[in-house]
């Protein structure tokens, strides 16, 4: 792994009581801390990788993951694993599950195995959290491949949030036989699952204080429009993907549009780099600029 170097960082007014173990702190070139969660919902952070021209997926069958954007950059994968290790839960959508494929697990070490022991020590000793974060999958229709590895990984808990129709479909597919999987219906509508309902349930029923949002641009846009996002970790990869009419290549946000008066503004907390990649950390600022 190439050295990650901090180019800019705002010094926290209230230093975190939790300090990264030395092996993680030296690789990340600093500590990592978060503000306390609001009373009614988890503190929400998102992690994306983007090209220089703002594309987060090539949208090509079999090549729609962030790995094609980042070129599986080792430093990006390390930071992704570190964020997973920090979170109480990792949120993904059914589209992300499909794009990643049946082997995806969303565990810290699955994306960066070299730091497996460091991630585990950080979670269990420094953060005093369970070995693995809760994996939360959002699906309106319930159309999930229950043979996927995430539903059969030892010591991993999975919570599927869906509609009544989706819950019935999952039951018909055998979800009840999966010991580590819980299915909850949040809506009677066919596809409507509100971010507010998701966050309320995660805070109230699962005790989630820090939520890592790894879902795609559509669900991220819904969370952002609802005013529920607190931080964004954005890796900028040194490539340009381009766009043509008739072939959608999504940016960071999809199916949500802001005006100049309502567009969310962000505050830059830190800038890190490794070779030609930038690793940016933002905190939501004034929602109206």
């Amino acid at each position: 792994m190439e050295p990650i170097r901090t180019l800019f960082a705002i010094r926290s007014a209230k230093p975190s009581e939790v300090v990264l173990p030395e092996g993680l702190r030296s690789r990340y070139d600093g500590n990592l801390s978060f503000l306390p969660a609001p009373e009614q919902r988890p503190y929400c952070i998102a992690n994306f990788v983007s090209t220089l021209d703002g594309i987060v997926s090539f949208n090509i069958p079999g090549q729609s993951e962030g790995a094609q954007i980042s070129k599986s950059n080792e430093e990006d994968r390390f930071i992704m694993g570190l964020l997973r290790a920090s979170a109480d839960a990792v949120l993904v959508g059914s589209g992300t599950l499909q794009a990643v494929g049946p082997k995806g697990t969303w565990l810290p070490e699955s994306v960066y195995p070299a730091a497996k022991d460091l991630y585990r020590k950080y979670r269990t000793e420094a953060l005093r959290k369970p070995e693995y974060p809760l994996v939360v999958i959002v699906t309106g229709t319930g159309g999930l491949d229950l043979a996927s590895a995430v539903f059969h990984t030892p010591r991993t808990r999975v919570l599927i949030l869906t509609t009544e129709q989706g819950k019935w479909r999952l039951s018909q597919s055998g979800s009840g036989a999966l010991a580590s999987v819980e299915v909850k219906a949040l809506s009677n509508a066919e596809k409507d699952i509100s971010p507010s309902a998701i966050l309320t349930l995660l805070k109230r029923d699962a005790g989630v204080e820090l939520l890592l949002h790894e879902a795609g641009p559509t669900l991220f846009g819904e969370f952002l429009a609802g005013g529920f996002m607190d931080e964004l970790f954005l890796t900028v990869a040194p490539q340009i993907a381009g766009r043509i009419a008739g072939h959608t290549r999504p940016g960071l946000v999809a199916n949500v549009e802001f005006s100049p008066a309502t567009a969310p503004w962000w505050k830059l907390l830190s800038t890190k780099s490794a070779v030609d990649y930038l690793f940016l950390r933002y905190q939501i600022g004034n929602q109206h600029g």
Side-chain angles (χ1 to χ4, degrees):
M1 185 173 125
E2 296 292 333
I4 294 174
R5 295 288 179 253
T6 302
L7 306 179
F8 164 81
I10 292 179
R11 193 181 296 269
S12 174
K14 295 182 179 180
S16 171
E17 295 180 1
V18 176
V19 177
L20 289 176
E22 175 55 34
L24 294 178
R25 190 166 69 252
S26 61
R27 295 186 191 198
Y28 188 61
D29 194 30
N31 197 27
L32 180 65
S33 62
F34 300 93
L35 293 175
E39 184 177 347
Q40 300 299 324
R41 64 169 178 84
Y43 192 82
C44 295
I45 64 175
N47 185 38
F48 278 90
V49 60
S50 166
T51 62
L52 292 173
D53 54 335
I55 286 171
V56 300
S57 171
F58 280 99
N59 195 21
I60 298 172
Q63 300 183 73
S64 296
E65 296 181 69
Q68 284 80 42
I69 301 295
S70 69
K71 205 176 181 180
S72 295
N73 173 262
E74 190 171 359
E75 296 75 46
D76 176 64
R77 291 187 287 113
F78 165 74
I79 293 175
M80 188 185 303
L82 180 59
L83 294 178
R84 290 177 180 179
S86 301
D88 295 306
V90 180
L91 179 79
V92 298
S94 56
T96 301
L97 185 69
Q98 183 177 8
V100 170
K103 295 183 179 180
T105 63
W106 288 274
L107 304 183
E109 66 263 28
S110 68
V111 70
Y112 193 72
K116 176 180 179 179
D117 293 338
L118 291 172
Y119 291 149
R120 180 176 290 122
K121 180 179 179 181
Y122 170 47
R123 282 190 65 82
T124 59
E125 297 182 15
L127 299 178
R128 300 191 181 279
K129 294 181 178 182
E131 183 178 1
Y132 295 129
L134 172 69
V135 179
V136 182
I137 300 173
V138 180
T139 170
T141 65
L144 302 178
D145 179 5
L146 296 183
S148 298
V150 68
F151 303 116
H152 303 275
T153 303
R155 303 186 302 283
T156 302
R157 296 177 302 131
V158 179
L159 175 61
I160 301 175
L161 301 181
T162 185
T163 61
E164 290 291 349
Q165 179 184 351
K167 184 176 181 180
W168 178 85
R169 182 176 180 181
L170 286 162
S171 176
Q172 295 298 109
S173 300
S175 62
L178 302 175
S180 62
V181 177
E182 183 179 7
V183 181
K184 290 194 174 184
L186 294 183
S187 173
N188 290 321
E190 285 191 16
K191 295 183 179 180
D192 180 36
I193 305 174
S194 75
S196 177
I198 293 171
L199 293 172
T200 298
L201 181 139
L202 291 179
K203 182 71 178 279
R204 182 192 65 214
D205 295 355
V208 175
E209 295 290 321
L210 180 63
L211 177 67
L212 173 59
H213 194 299
E214 286 197 23
T218 297
L219 196 54
F220 178 67
E222 293 175 3
F223 272 65
L224 187 59
F228 300 123
M229 292 309 309
D230 298 296
E231 290 192 22
L232 170 65
F233 288 78
L234 179 64
T235 297
V236 180
Q239 71 166 320
I240 291 177
R243 294 180 174 92
I244 60 172
H247 181 212
T248 301
R249 282 185 168 169
L252 195 63
V253 172
N255 298 332
V256 169
E257 188 175 64
F258 299 101
S259 71
T262 61
W265 286 73
W266 298 75
K267 179 180 181 180
L268 183 64
L269 296 184
S270 67
T271 302
K272 297 175 183 283
S273 70
V275 192
D276 300 316
Y277 290 74
L278 285 176
F279 307 98
L280 309 175
R281 180 184 181 183
Y282 291 94
Q283 185 180 70
I284 196 72
N286 186 335
Q287 287 280 358
H288 305 295

